[in-house]
Amino acid sequence: MPVDLEKLANLPFFSRLDAATLRDISPRVRSSSVEPGQVIAWEGEPCNAVYFVVRGLVRARRMSLNGREHVLSYMGSGSCFNLVPALDGKPNPLTVDAVASTTLYSVACSDCRVILAQHSELAHALLEHLAGEVRQLSDMVESLALHSVRARLARFLLDMVSGKAPAHAWTQEEVAAHIGTVREMVGRTMRDFSQEGLVRRERGRIVILDADTLTREAGG
């Protein structure tokens, strides 16, 4: 399916390109739609393409040998994934699936290398993107290594209220995968927060009652 040049230009990765360059690379870009629960890339399988989220929400996750899941990130409009395996030729490092109805633009791995070689602006955008991913993973490692489940859950709740976490009807299992723990620990800690007057449940959502104390709990 042909892509919309205006939507392509609005993606951060392509925003520095002029109209002539966009027209030149657009034949190498494909559009597709995926529904919630549909897997876009499987961990360990060969990389077929680099993907750009035009609309919707996807999540990137890894599974341990014992079946435990850890969600590395949720990615909305403007996000990009699968760049690393497209560049090094190795298998997909993550499983990525759709959380909501999502529109994707994709570029085949071989085409991606050609485009990067021909357009230095995209090469600079690539470096910035990879640098951002390194920072994000460093922050995640620090959080898992240095902060308790209680602190990580407090930070997650604050992110939900501030809009930093994706707008989504989170289950306890999803929250657990996102902060690197198990569902039982999330439920137990939420009960503790409720009993301490930090939060309350109201019509299926969490209301923060004491943001200052929750911020201290989060280490901030």
Side-chain angles (χ1 to χ4, degrees):
M1 184 184 301
V3 301
D4 183 313
L5 284 181
E6 184 176 350
K7 290 180 179 178
L8 186 64
N10 286 334
L11 293 172
F13 206 80
F14 298 98
S15 61
R16 301 178 185 180
L17 303 182
D18 57 32
T21 304
L22 286 171
R23 286 193 298 271
D24 180 55
I25 68 173
S26 63
R28 299 179 185 269
V29 185
R30 295 290 178 267
S31 176
S32 60
S33 298
V34 291
E35 295 304 316
Q38 186 174 341
V39 175
I40 303 156
W42 286 102
E43 178 183 348
E45 290 194 351
C47 175
N48 295 317
V50 178
Y51 296 91
F52 304 88
V53 182
V54 179
R55 179 187 62 84
L57 183 69
V58 302
R59 64 176 175 175
R61 53 194 172 93
R62 295 196 72 162
M63 298 288 291
S64 67
L65 292 176
N66 62 7
R68 182 173 168 182
E69 177 185 270
H70 182 69
V71 176
L72 278 79
S73 63
Y74 284 82
M75 295 172 284
S77 300
S79 300
C80 167
F81 61 93
N82 255 29
L83 263 174
V84 171
L87 294 174
D88 66 15
K90 295 181 179 179
N92 298 326
L94 307 169
T95 294
V96 182
D97 59 353
V99 177
S101 295
T102 299
T103 300
L104 298 168
Y105 283 176
S106 62
V107 178
C109 295
S110 56
D111 286 340
C112 181
R113 298 187 190 100
V114 171
I115 292 172
L116 289 171
Q118 293 177 344
H119 302 287
S120 60
E121 306 97 322
L122 282 176
H124 287 303
L126 164 70
L127 292 174
E128 290 180 1
H129 176 83
L130 293 179
E133 284 198 341
V134 169
R135 286 187 180 275
Q136 181 182 1
L137 290 174
S138 296
D139 290 343
M140 184 180 298
V141 169
E142 177 188 1
S143 177
L144 292 172
L146 302 180
H147 298 290
S148 66
V149 171
R150 185 178 171 97
R152 299 202 299 272
L153 182 57
R155 171 50 55 196
F156 173 79
L157 293 174
L158 291 167
D159 286 347
M160 283 186 64
V161 171
S162 66
K164 293 181 181 178
H168 175 58
W170 293 82
T171 66
Q172 288 191 355
E173 188 170 0
E174 288 174 327
V175 174
H178 188 64
I179 68 173
T181 185
V182 294
R183 181 176 57 81
E184 291 76 12
M185 281 298 296
V186 170
R188 188 182 312 158
T189 308
M190 284 297 300
R191 287 193 295 273
D192 290 343
F193 284 168
S194 180
Q195 291 169 2
E196 294 165 22
L198 304 183
V199 302
R200 76 163 179 262
R201 297 180 183 275
E202 185 177 282
R203 297 179 180 178
R205 64 190 183 96
I206 302 298
V207 177
I208 292 180
L209 303 176
D210 189 342
D212 290 341
T213 300
L214 209 60
T215 300
R216 287 194 293 272
E217 289 285 353

